[in-house]
Amino acid sequence: DGMNVLFIVVDDLRPILGCYGDKLVKSPNIDQLASQSMVFSNAYAQQAVCAPSRVSFLTGRRPDTTRLYDFYSYWRVHAGNYSTMPQYFKENGYVTLSVGKVFHPGVSSNYSDDYPYSWSIPPFHPSAEKYENDKTCRGKDGKLYANLVCPVNVTEMPGGTLPDIQSTEEAIRLLNIMKTSRQKFFLAVGYHKPHIPLRYPQEFLRLYPLENITLAPDPWVPKKLPSVAYNPWTDIRQRDDVEALNVSFPYGPLPDDFQRQIRQSYYAAVSYLDVQVGLLLNALDNVGLSNSTIVVFTADHGWSLGEHGEWAKYSNFDVATRVPLMFYVPGMTASPVSQGARVFPYLDPFSHVGGSAPQGQSKKVVELVSVFPTLAELAGLQVPPACPETSFGVVLCTEGTSIVRYFNVSEEKVEEGKEGCDDTDRCFNEEPVAFSQYPRPADTPQWNSDKPKLKDIRIMGYSMRTIDYRYTVWVQFDPNNFSADFKDVHAGELYMMETDPNQDYNIYNNTSHGWLL
């Protein structure tokens, strides 16, 4: 009898969490999970936009293999009939359940969240989700708007609730059913916040007085940033409150006071999310399953908060690609608790003081594409084989690699010899790399630069992140045959992490690049 899995995926959450060293945020419940988990401080998404990232980590394949760079195709039809992580657990005797936003809804998951392949019962979507983009934000004039910054009185909302509150309630209901059914389960819970609009219960603003909120450390567009790399945050410009500011496209900065309000609301939304996670994990305790359930916590990608003069995702910078990633494994990352003892008591962010350090922390660079093989190994299932060079016809394989080998290794120690390392495997002594990519329609920012449709993609930015640097090349791309021409480089970026941790000083043009490759 293996472990259950609770897989928590958050929309657009960059690692501004206490357990990742953020001093301002109040995230006591996620920090408490981290204190019992293996935490990866250098985890990266494969593309900084919802559908491509989710299809990538749920299949364990990179975007060039899923062929999904936008929102408009279903991989089983368009690329290959790849098994997903929940499908693999389902085929291995698990009841698989989806709550909230796990797959990106719509054509990219066959309008069914990939049911029945991935899930045992039809996925649950909160009914309040349909009001997300409606005019529910009260302006200073008392009228209702569809704003970006949107603290609300929940009792005034349609149905008197918000989507993430409903998802937590449904997940708790399912945990109670699974407790009595005694079947192994894989429960995926997808939270919407802090995805825009930043719509959350208004009391969370109290945690973040505006005078404590600073601007990004680098709120300007870097001098040497290639124009192809810039994302013009079109989705934010379309919100009523941003539109009213009449900011020039594409580089016009938002006013400082409004930048601080966005940052304040992002933090508030993270604390609202933390409460949901706290209630969910507390329910896991209540049903007595904390000792027999692996908990994974991650996000689909990050979100720029004014760094480089950018907002939202849609780029290859760390702020858009880096995600929280932690694994709680009973008996491995935490010692088993005695019957009835609590692992995850609920912590109230309004009164809880003091942080908790992660149980174990790895600075190794890892990728979301590796979550599938990692979770398979942790659950005692056979790890899916590494994919061959081209794997469109291979149903079950992964382009990631299990990172369980990093769980118990002290950072200094280098493994002796080539143990457990075949040629296809990235070896232990080799420095790990995370690959991300982002498509663009043109060399300069257009209205569709953030989310180009496949047919409009002309350039692909391929980016590699090691512990020491981020290196990106923007190359010619042909969407008709999905081919990138690395001999036709439109622009490049190179940032050295030691001297330039915020990635503001592009030194691509003052170096010869042979040493990198």
Side-chain angles (χ1 to χ4, degrees):
D1 64 358
M3 293 265 180
N4 303 308
V5 177
L6 173 58
F7 185 88
I8 304 169
V9 57
V10 184
D11 218 351
D12 294 20
L13 176 67
R14 63 191 262 179
I16 53 165
L17 298 164
C19 51
Y20 278 81
D22 191 284
K23 299 285 183 274
L24 182 64
V25 76
K26 300 210 170 6
S27 54
N29 294 287
I30 297 167
D31 297 347
Q32 175 173 258
L33 172 63
S35 74
Q36 304 290 317
S37 297
M38 186 67 196
V39 175
F40 288 89
S41 55
N42 266 312
Y44 297 89
Q46 274 50 78
Q47 191 182 321
V49 67
C50 306
S53 174
R54 288 164 187 261
V55 168
S56 171
F57 71 71
L58 287 164
T59 60
R61 320 269 186 132
R62 301 179 188 282
D64 282 345
T65 306
T66 65
R67 294 187 159 172
L68 181 69
Y69 312 109
D70 58 17
F71 296 81
Y72 307 107
S73 68
Y74 180 41
W75 79 92
R76 291 186 194 273
V77 172
H78 179 75
N81 188 23
Y82 314 144
S83 291
T84 68
M85 173 166 57
Q87 176 181 0
Y88 189 59
F89 276 83
K90 180 164 161 268
E91 287 166 357
N92 278 280
Y94 282 71
V95 175
T96 56
L97 307 159
S98 174
V99 170
K101 184 174 174 182
V102 180
F103 279 99
H104 193 86
V107 64
S108 66
S109 57
N110 205 30
Y111 300 100
S112 65
D113 300 81
D114 198 44
Y115 175 80
Y117 299 101
S118 286
W119 311 108
S120 304
I121 61 172
F124 169 87
H125 287 280
S127 59
E129 204 181 327
K130 58 177 167 294
Y131 309 112
E132 268 297 273
N133 292 308
D134 291 4
K135 296 183 189 261
T136 57
C137 324
R138 208 165 284 290
K140 294 208 166 52
D141 57 8
K143 294 199 181 84
L144 290 175
Y145 295 93
N147 287 343
L148 169 63
V149 172
C150 187
V152 297
N153 177 343
V154 177
T155 57
E156 291 176 1
M157 291 300 103
T161 187
L162 292 171
D164 288 342
I165 296 172
Q166 290 183 303
S167 291
T168 302
E169 290 164 354
E170 174 66 9
I172 291 172
R173 190 184 76 83
L174 290 171
L175 284 175
N176 279 293
I177 292 172
M178 292 319 294
K179 166 195 158 186
T180 50
S181 87
R182 300 257 167 120
Q183 285 174 286
K184 286 185 304 191
F185 63 83
F186 178 106
L187 169 60
V189 182
Y191 285 116
H192 285 79
K193 293 303 108 176
H195 191 287
I196 68 165
L198 298 169
R199 190 168 81 114
Y200 55 86
Q202 59 199 16
E203 57 271 23
F204 287 93
L205 272 178
R206 290 210 317 269
L207 294 171
Y208 303 103
L210 205 48
E211 60 270 20
N212 296 354
I213 306 289
T214 60
L215 295 179
D218 51 350
W220 56 84
V221 179
K223 272 201 200 57
K224 293 188 172 171
L225 181 69
S227 56
V228 69
Y230 183 80
N231 77 281
W233 34 281
T234 312
D235 55 350
I236 282 182
R237 296 169 190 273
Q238 290 160 349
R239 312 300 306 180
D240 292 348
D241 49 354
V242 180
E243 204 172 4
L245 297 168
N246 248 333
V247 185
S248 70
F249 184 90
Y251 298 112
L254 290 169
D256 286 6
D257 61 327
F258 193 74
Q259 292 197 34
R260 287 168 57 224
Q261 282 178 42
I262 299 176
R263 289 170 66 91
Q264 174 192 39
S265 272
Y266 189 91
Y267 275 87
V270 171
S271 290
Y272 159 61
L273 162 77
D274 184 76
V275 165
Q276 305 309 314
V277 172
L279 294 169
L280 177 59
L281 293 173
N282 186 51
L284 194 66
D285 266 355
N286 289 344
V287 295
L289 292 171
S290 302
N291 253 347
S292 55
T293 304
I294 295 166
V295 181
V296 187
F297 179 88
T298 191
D300 54 357
H301 43 71
W303 210 79
S304 306
L305 286 163
E307 297 86 1
H308 317 115
E310 293 180 307
W311 300 87
K313 46 241 183 187
Y314 319 121
S315 84
N316 279 321
F317 283 119
D318 278 18
V319 284
T321 53
R322 186 170 166 241
V323 291
L325 178 63
M326 61 189 82
F327 296 85
Y328 161 78
V329 189
M332 183 180 185
T333 65
S335 17
V337 291
S338 53
Q339 201 52 46
R342 305 196 74 77
V343 185
F344 303 118
Y346 173 73
L347 302 173
D348 181 349
F350 291 93
S351 56
H352 182 75
V353 191
S356 42
Q359 172 59 33
Q361 193 151 21
S362 173
K363 293 190 176 70
K364 290 280 187 201
V365 172
V366 298
E367 306 176 288
L368 284 186
V369 76
S370 293
V371 169
F372 181 177
T374 303
L375 204 43
E377 181 171 344
L378 290 171
L381 305 180
Q382 202 174 347
V383 179
C387 291
E389 189 72 35
T390 27
S391 61
F392 297 108
V394 184
V395 170
L396 179 69
C397 69
T398 174
E399 293 181 281
T401 168
S402 171
I403 56 176
V404 174
R405 64 183 186 281
Y406 295 149
F407 275 43
N408 291 330
V409 178
S410 65
E411 291 296 323
E412 294 71 47
K413 191 178 92 207
V414 175
E415 283 287 281
E416 296 304 316
K418 298 282 256 188
E419 197 194 4
C421 227
D422 57 47
D423 296 345
T424 58
D425 213 11
R426 254 192 239 123
C427 236
F428 218 159
N429 309 342
E430 235 174 87
E431 214 24 74
V433 181
F435 294 98
S436 302
Q437 63 192 95
Y438 213 86
R440 294 279 186 240
D443 285 299
T444 53
Q446 314 291 316
W447 281 101
N448 64 338
S449 286
D450 291 350
K451 295 194 270 194
K453 292 188 166 157
L454 176 62
K455 66 174 173 45
D456 298 322
I457 297 171
R458 294 293 173 272
I459 302 160
M460 188 69 75
Y462 287 96
S463 193
M464 59 189 279
R465 174 69 155 82
T466 70
I467 203 79
D468 299 316
Y469 61 84
R470 178 173 285 287
Y471 176 65
T472 306
V473 283
W474 297 88
V475 302
Q476 187 69 28
F477 186 85
D478 182 349
N480 298 306
N481 59 4
F482 300 92
S483 66
D485 181 0
F486 283 87
K487 292 192 283 300
D488 186 355
V489 177
H490 290 231
E493 297 169 85
L494 176 60
Y495 307 100
M496 303 311 292
M497 299 314 301
E498 196 180 356
T499 50
D500 182 22
N502 297 328
Q503 302 172 350
D504 294 320
Y505 302 99
N506 177 12
I507 61 165
Y508 180 85
N509 286 341
N510 18 354
T511 34
S512 69
H513 311 121
W515 62 276
L516 281 168
L517 310 166

